[in-house]
Amino acid sequence: MTFTAWCNSHLRKAGTQIENIEEDFRDGLKLMLLLEVISGERLAKPERGKMRVHKISNVNKALNFIASKGVKLVSIGAEEIVDGNAKMTLGMIWTIILRFAIQDISVEETSAKEGLLLWCQRKTAPYKNVNIQNFHISWKDGLGFCALIHRHRPELIDYGKLRKDDPMTNLNTAFDVAEKYLDIPKMLDAEDIVGTARPDEKAIMTYVSSFYHAFSGAQKAETAANRICKVLAVNQENEQLMEDYEKLASDLLEWIRRTIPWLENRVPENTMQAMQQKLEDFRDYRRLHKPPKVQEKCQLEINFNTLQTKLRLSNRPAFMPSEGKMVSDISNAWGSLEGAEKGYEEWLLNEIRRLERLDHLAEKFRQKAAIHEAWTNGKEEMLQRKDYETASLSDIKALLKKHEAFESDLAAHQDRVEQIAAIAQELNELEYYDSPSVNARCQQICDQWDSLGVLTQKRSEALQRTEKLLETIDQLYLEFAKRAAPFNNWMEGAMEDLQDTFIVHTIEEIQGLSTAHEQFKATLPEADKERQAILGIHNEIAKIVQTYHVNMAGTNPYTTINPQEINAKWDKVRQLVPQRDQALIEEHARQQNNERLRRQFANQANVIGPWIQTKMEEIGRISIEMHGTLEDQLTHLRQYEKSIVNYKPKIDQLEGDHQLIQEALIFDNKHTNYTMEHIRVGWEQLLTTIARTINEIENQILTRDAKGISQEQMNEFRASFNHFDRDHSGTLGAEEFKACLISLGFDIGNDAQGEAEFARIMSIVDPNRLGLITFQAFIDFMSRETADTDTADQVMASFKVLAGDKNYILADELRRELPPDQAEYCIARMTPYTGPDAVPGALDYMSFSTALYGESDL
């Protein structure tokens, strides 16, 4: 019954029917007619005679036609068909069904029976209680047939009311609906299927193939929908990548915009503590805030390159970021940041040196000013006395000698006043924050010094006028005063020097100070002899006074210095010497520690610096040489990346040593030419270079796989590129690129046509007209020339299938054929169709398709 119904479903188109296959095909006429209907071809003219020879001739023509289609007829001859052999006749009909109804079925590169089975499984997968595994028992409950009909024509069957335990109703429902609405004849009997343990496989395959052919149009629509979904998914992913790039670029540029003014701020602080805090803030920026931004910058470049590669692979126009957010813009902004950063660090160190120098000078000014003010205290009052008017001759002579001693002392203090003025001038030149108070104090000292000079001159003139009246003078007092004054001056200078603060930066400098101090200590025995001699003069005066009962009123009239003061100052000098020894020893130890820090930093920097340079050169060679496949190169590069990342603790250790050096205020290092800035820049360049190189190889693999380029082709492209990249810069100039194309077989002549073709190629590989072609752009061009990709015409053809050959498509059709998110994506972006055949709600899928590939605006 199945084969008869199948034959009648086709013979009906020719206006005839059969009732019995064995009898009705014996003369070959209806057999030839059946073959013409199902193949669409004309057979040889049949014989109309009734004789056996005519019938055999007709059947042979039919069998020869079947054999011409590549079908092997085993043991089937014309005589058996003419004789009405049922087995041979049914075998021939099954062969015809296999060849013309089932063989051409193909689903995902399967064919015939497997393809038909896969098609059934796909269509019935969403339905409960349906599990199609074969063409016999899987169909006994009838739900499989009902599911096929409901999947394509859900309005014909209420699938929710069907029950698995009622196969007869299910089967009859499917057979009746298929015959009535789908023009599929009733080839099977429900009772036979239910009553048979294993239904006939050939009969069910024949009947199911009729469903496949009936719904083939829907299959085409599904294929078209799948193509559109794929294209739209790529477009949506690319748009998300573009949004991510824009946000990351905006955030990074905003951070740079906020940071540069901070680094460009050159307003100095007044104290060392405040400047040290600025330096600590700068260290936090270098250690905590900048490294994540370096990673963001590198990731931004990688994302941009990956996005451009995906756009090229999907035949989309290149991504052009918003104004000011190009990779070059970010690189320029980053360069400005690093320029400001370098200048800021230099400024900080210079300011710290300046403040250190200022603090030292200010302390030195205060010490010298205090000593001088202590010395001048009471001197103006003393010079203004009129004691010489009522004094005796001896007193006058004493006053004169005393004044001469004072003038000597005054001259000795001239150097100190000049030193104080010089220090104040230097503080002004270095812009010391408390310069007004320094200037006021210095001016007061200078004014007082001028006043002392005037008063001294006046007193000297007064004493000289009365000198003629004075004849007696005590030579011993005078000698004491003359020797005690310079010695006292020497002791005061020694105390001042011993208490003077010092600042050194090297071992040599502290050794120089130590040598000078030892030389000073060597002079102490001679100084002690001078002290004893001066004290001897005083003892002699006392002896004369006691011996001759001299009436001496008061103390030595020539000087205010007394033995007690000399002894006190001498004891003070002796006390300060060991204190100075200890200070020099401590400073020597500090400089030794600084030298150790210098050598410790230099030993590491002299290893790390060349290591970074070596790794940069090795990465450059890997990216140029062609050792192994792209995957081998990628593996090699990732191993390099891992080894580089594992080297980070040494960089951190060097950072720690550098921080110790800065905390120790060490500003130079003669043991190495590498600075921490050199190491940081080299390390950041190394990380960026290995990340970029890995990204380039990944993009090449992505291009190769997406475009179907073989490893041999990729090697040939790389070899040609490297051959003409003579400077190993990773790029080709226009002439080098032209020579490379010619070596690969491109016909680019020197005539006008050749120049026009080369200009077209350059517009593809160098859209920004930089005159340089990267290897990635070269690979993209070569892959485009050697591979096939989706085009706007293909997408338009797919939309036309979904629209039922109309020049427009409706929103309901998009929602029916596409997933919800992609259907809404199309509806939101398609413009209304305005053609002469437009209907309300018509959408223009043609302009939408061209916009997807950059041929118009979306």
Side-chain angles (χ1 to χ4, degrees):
M1 175 182 176
T2 301
F3 289 173
T4 302
W6 184 85
C7 293
N8 284 333
S9 68
H10 294 286
L11 288 173
R12 186 163 56 245
K13 300 175 183 177
T16 186
Q17 295 281 292
I18 62 171
E19 294 181 1
N20 186 287
I21 288 179
E22 297 86 351
E23 291 297 326
D24 291 345
F25 283 159
R26 289 179 64 184
D27 60 1
L29 293 175
K30 290 186 177 181
L31 179 58
M32 294 179 67
L33 183 61
L34 175 64
L35 290 172
E36 288 182 345
V37 172
I38 63 178
S39 69
E41 301 180 18
R42 295 289 296 177
L43 275 67
K45 185 176 181 181
E47 299 290 341
R48 296 296 180 179
K50 300 297 184 179
M51 299 177 63
R52 178 179 175 81
V53 66
H54 296 148
K55 297 178 180 180
I56 292 174
S57 175
N58 290 337
V59 173
N60 275 328
K61 291 177 181 178
L63 295 178
N64 290 337
F65 178 80
I66 296 172
S68 70
K69 298 301 181 182
V71 179
K72 293 182 179 181
L73 298 171
V74 182
S75 301
I76 299 178
E79 291 79 6
E80 286 85 357
I81 303 302
V82 172
D83 294 337
N85 187 318
K87 181 177 180 181
M88 294 298 177
T89 302
L90 292 175
M92 178 190 66
I93 296 301
W94 174 242
T95 300
I96 292 173
I97 292 173
L98 282 176
R99 172 59 184 83
F100 294 100
I102 299 177
Q103 181 174 320
D104 291 335
I105 297 175
S106 176
V107 178
E108 292 189 359
E109 299 182 359
T110 62
S111 60
K113 180 180 178 180
E114 292 80 9
L116 184 60
L117 182 62
L118 179 59
W119 179 79
C120 294
Q121 291 172 341
R122 289 277 183 83
K123 295 301 180 180
T124 61
Y127 295 86
K128 63 180 181 179
N129 297 327
V130 178
N131 184 18
I132 304 301
Q133 299 296 327
N134 49 56
F135 287 106
H136 37 81
I137 62 175
S138 294
W139 303 86
K140 286 190 66 174
D141 58 8
L143 291 177
F145 296 108
C146 293
L148 285 177
I149 296 172
H150 185 267
R151 179 63 183 271
H152 296 90
R153 297 289 299 276
E155 73 277 9
L156 299 180
I157 292 180
D158 188 354
Y159 188 85
K161 293 183 178 180
L162 300 177
R163 302 198 317 274
K164 187 176 181 64
D165 59 357
D166 190 6
M168 288 294 295
T169 299
N170 299 339
L171 290 167
N172 285 325
T173 299
F175 296 160
D176 293 340
V177 169
E179 185 176 36
K180 182 176 181 181
Y181 297 101
L182 304 178
D183 200 25
I184 298 175
K186 196 171 184 180
M187 303 180 188
L188 303 174
D189 186 83
E191 294 181 356
D192 292 340
I193 294 175
V194 174
T196 305
R198 180 187 173 95
D200 184 68
E201 185 178 50
K202 295 178 180 179
I204 291 180
M205 281 183 63
T206 301
Y207 189 60
V208 172
S209 68
S210 299
F211 283 90
Y212 176 88
H213 291 294
F215 297 134
S216 61
Q219 181 68 26
K220 292 180 181 178
E222 181 179 355
T223 301
N226 289 336
R227 176 183 290 274
I228 292 174
C229 289
K230 177 182 176 183
V231 170
L232 294 179
V234 169
N235 216 59
Q236 289 172 312
E237 180 183 0
N238 290 340
E239 288 184 353
Q240 184 61 45
L241 288 174
M242 294 175 189
E243 293 177 2
D244 293 344
Y245 174 89
E246 290 282 337
K247 183 178 185 306
L248 187 57
S250 298
D251 293 345
L252 184 56
L253 288 171
E254 176 61 20
W255 179 81
I256 293 174
R257 184 191 65 77
R258 294 195 312 268
T259 305
I260 287 179
W262 173 66
L263 294 174
E264 291 178 342
N265 181 16
R266 297 297 189 271
V267 177
E269 299 293 341
N270 293 331
T271 64
M272 177 70 77
Q273 181 180 4
M275 288 305 298
Q276 289 284 5
Q277 183 59 47
K278 277 184 175 286
L279 182 60
E280 186 63 29
D281 293 342
F282 182 72
R283 289 175 185 155
D284 289 342
Y285 157 79
R286 275 276 182 79
R287 184 174 57 253
L288 303 176
H289 304 304
K290 184 182 178 184
K293 299 303 178 181
V294 173
Q295 294 296 325
E296 289 181 13
K297 175 177 176 291
C298 180
Q299 188 62 44
L300 188 71
E301 295 176 359
I302 291 174
N303 291 350
F304 181 83
N305 293 334
T306 301
L307 173 59
Q308 298 293 44
T309 299
K310 288 186 176 182
L311 289 173
R312 286 191 294 270
L313 292 179
S314 59
N315 205 19
R316 304 304 198 273
F319 169 56
M320 183 61 66
S322 302
E323 183 178 359
K325 296 180 183 177
M326 294 288 293
V327 173
S328 59
D329 296 328
I330 294 173
S331 297
N332 292 335
W334 191 264
S336 300
L337 174 72
E338 292 187 330
E341 177 182 320
K342 181 178 180 181
Y344 187 72
E345 184 177 28
E346 293 175 352
W347 175 77
L348 279 177
L349 295 178
N350 290 333
E351 277 300 307
I352 289 175
R353 293 190 189 101
R354 186 179 71 84
L355 287 177
E356 185 181 36
R357 173 67 176 164
L358 285 174
D359 288 346
H360 172 68
L361 288 174
E363 181 61 25
K364 193 170 184 179
F365 173 85
R366 286 190 289 271
Q367 287 184 1
K368 288 184 177 295
I371 292 172
H372 176 77
E373 289 167 348
W375 178 83
T376 58
N377 184 32
K379 293 296 189 295
E380 289 179 295
E381 180 182 356
M382 181 267 293
L383 292 172
Q384 292 174 346
R385 291 176 189 163
K386 304 295 183 178
D387 51 346
Y388 55 86
E389 294 179 349
T390 57
S392 64
L393 180 61
S394 60
D395 292 335
I396 291 299
K397 288 186 175 291
L399 288 175
L400 183 59
K401 298 300 181 181
K402 181 179 179 180
H403 187 70
E404 291 176 354
F406 174 76
E407 286 179 327
S408 177
D409 197 11
L410 185 66
H413 279 78
Q414 177 68 35
D415 289 340
R416 181 177 290 116
V417 174
E418 293 176 355
Q419 290 176 5
I420 291 172
I423 293 173
Q425 179 64 27
E426 188 172 359
L427 287 172
N428 279 279
E429 291 174 354
L430 293 177
E431 299 178 356
Y432 182 55
Y433 78 97
D434 199 22
S435 291
S437 63
V438 170
N439 293 335
R441 191 172 184 181
C442 180
Q443 187 63 45
Q444 182 179 1
I445 290 173
C446 292
D447 292 343
Q448 187 184 37
W449 183 256
D450 293 337
S451 176
L452 287 175
V454 173
L455 292 174
T456 300
Q457 182 64 27
K458 289 182 177 179
R459 185 171 179 81
S460 178
E461 293 174 353
L463 290 173
Q464 288 175 4
R465 283 194 304 269
T466 59
E467 185 179 12
K468 296 177 180 180
L469 301 175
L470 303 177
E471 296 177 354
T472 307
I473 188 168
D474 190 344
Q475 293 296 329
L476 289 175
Y477 271 124
L478 181 59
E479 184 179 358
F480 177 89
K482 287 183 177 180
R483 296 183 68 174
F487 184 72
N488 181 69
N489 221 17
W490 175 86
M491 286 192 298
E492 288 180 349
M495 288 189 294
E496 182 179 345
D497 291 339
L498 289 172
Q499 296 179 86
D500 190 16
T501 58
F502 56 83
I503 176 171
V504 294
H505 297 96
T506 65
I507 293 256
E508 291 76 9
E509 292 178 359
I510 190 61
Q511 288 175 344
L513 289 178
S514 297
T515 301
H517 183 62
E518 292 299 324
Q519 293 173 352
F520 167 77
K521 289 196 295 184
T523 64
L524 290 179
E526 290 297 326
D528 190 43
K529 290 181 181 180
E530 177 67 12
R531 181 181 68 87
Q532 294 293 343
I534 293 172
L535 292 178
I537 294 173
H538 182 271
N539 292 335
E540 187 175 354
I541 292 173
K543 183 178 180 181
I544 293 173
V545 169
Q546 184 178 2
T547 302
Y548 297 100
H549 305 286
V550 177
N551 185 16
M552 300 296 298
T555 58
N556 192 328
Y558 306 114
T559 181
T560 59
I561 301 172
N562 55 59
Q564 293 77 16
E565 184 179 352
I566 291 176
N567 286 330
K569 289 182 179 180
W570 177 257
D571 293 340
K572 181 65 174 178
V573 170
R574 299 288 301 202
Q575 180 183 357
L576 290 175
V577 168
Q579 294 178 3
R580 184 73 165 185
D581 288 336
Q582 182 62 31
L584 291 173
I585 291 172
E586 292 175 355
E587 181 61 26
H588 189 273
R590 190 176 76 86
Q591 290 302 323
Q592 285 182 325
N593 182 63
N594 290 352
E595 183 67 12
R596 180 186 61 79
L597 291 176
R598 289 189 183 97
R599 293 182 181 276
Q600 180 175 317
F601 177 85
N603 291 338
Q604 294 187 75
N606 290 335
V607 173
I608 294 174
W611 180 88
I612 290 175
Q613 182 62 33
T614 300
K615 289 300 178 182
M616 291 287 288
E617 294 172 356
E618 290 175 354
I619 293 170
R621 287 198 297 272
I622 292 173
S623 64
I624 293 175
E625 297 172 355
M626 297 181 297
H627 295 313
T629 64
L630 290 176
E631 285 77 5
D632 295 337
Q633 296 177 33
L634 183 60
T635 300
H636 197 184
L637 283 171
R638 283 177 174 160
Q639 291 173 352
Y640 263 84
E641 184 182 33
K642 183 177 180 181
S643 69
I644 290 170
V645 172
N646 291 338
Y647 205 76
K648 182 65 166 56
K650 295 186 178 181
I651 303 296
D652 296 338
Q653 183 180 355
L654 190 64
E655 284 281 7
D657 293 342
H658 178 65
Q659 182 172 348
L660 293 177
I661 284 177
Q662 287 196 327
E663 290 173 352
L665 299 178
I666 300 173
F667 304 110
D668 53 13
N669 192 339
K670 65 182 179 181
H671 304 296
T672 181
N673 293 326
Y674 292 100
T675 66
M676 196 62 227
E677 180 62 25
H678 293 153
I679 299 298
R680 290 192 193 106
V681 172
W683 177 251
E684 292 172 1
Q685 290 177 347
L686 180 60
L687 293 178
T688 302
T689 300
I690 188 64
R692 285 176 178 167
T693 305
I694 289 174
N695 180 246
E696 288 175 0
I697 298 299
E698 289 174 339
N699 286 340
Q700 291 174 27
I701 293 174
L702 185 61
T703 302
R704 182 199 65 192
D705 295 343
K707 300 299 184 177
I709 299 174
S710 66
Q711 185 64 43
E712 291 73 15
Q713 287 177 305
M714 186 65 74
N715 290 340
E716 180 184 2
F717 295 158
R718 170 55 83 178
S720 299
F721 188 91
N722 288 345
H723 175 74
F724 291 97
D725 182 18
R726 294 181 175 88
D727 59 355
H728 304 295
S729 63
T731 59
L732 296 180
E735 292 302 321
E736 292 174 333
F737 177 57
K738 184 176 182 180
C740 183
L741 291 178
I742 293 174
S743 72
L744 292 172
F746 282 77
D747 185 12
I748 302 176
N750 293 324
D751 53 5
Q753 183 177 358
E755 292 299 327
E757 174 63 14
F758 184 65
R760 180 192 69 81
I761 294 175
M762 284 296 293
S763 67
I764 296 174
V765 299
D766 185 21
N768 295 325
R769 298 181 179 179
L770 301 176
L772 296 175
I773 295 88
T774 65
F775 180 68
Q776 185 61 47
F778 174 71
I779 286 297
D780 291 341
F781 171 73
M782 294 304 298
S783 62
R784 184 179 302 178
E785 293 295 315
T786 57
D788 184 26
T789 59
D790 290 331
T791 65
D793 291 338
Q794 290 176 328
V795 175
M796 279 191 282
S798 299
F799 272 117
K800 193 164 187 177
V801 171
L802 297 186
D805 288 336
K806 299 190 299 293
N807 291 327
Y808 58 85
I809 194 167
L810 300 176
D812 291 341
E813 292 173 332
L814 289 171
R815 291 189 177 102
R816 183 176 68 242
E817 300 296 344
L818 300 180
D821 60 334
Q822 295 185 341
E824 297 304 324
Y825 179 84
C826 293
I827 294 169
R829 286 164 174 76
M830 284 186 181
T831 58
Y833 177 73
T834 57
D837 53 342
V839 299
L843 299 174
D844 187 354
Y845 61 80
M846 294 184 183
S847 62
F848 175 77
S849 299
T850 58
L852 285 176
Y853 291 87
E855 300 175 12
S856 64
D857 294 331
L858 186 62

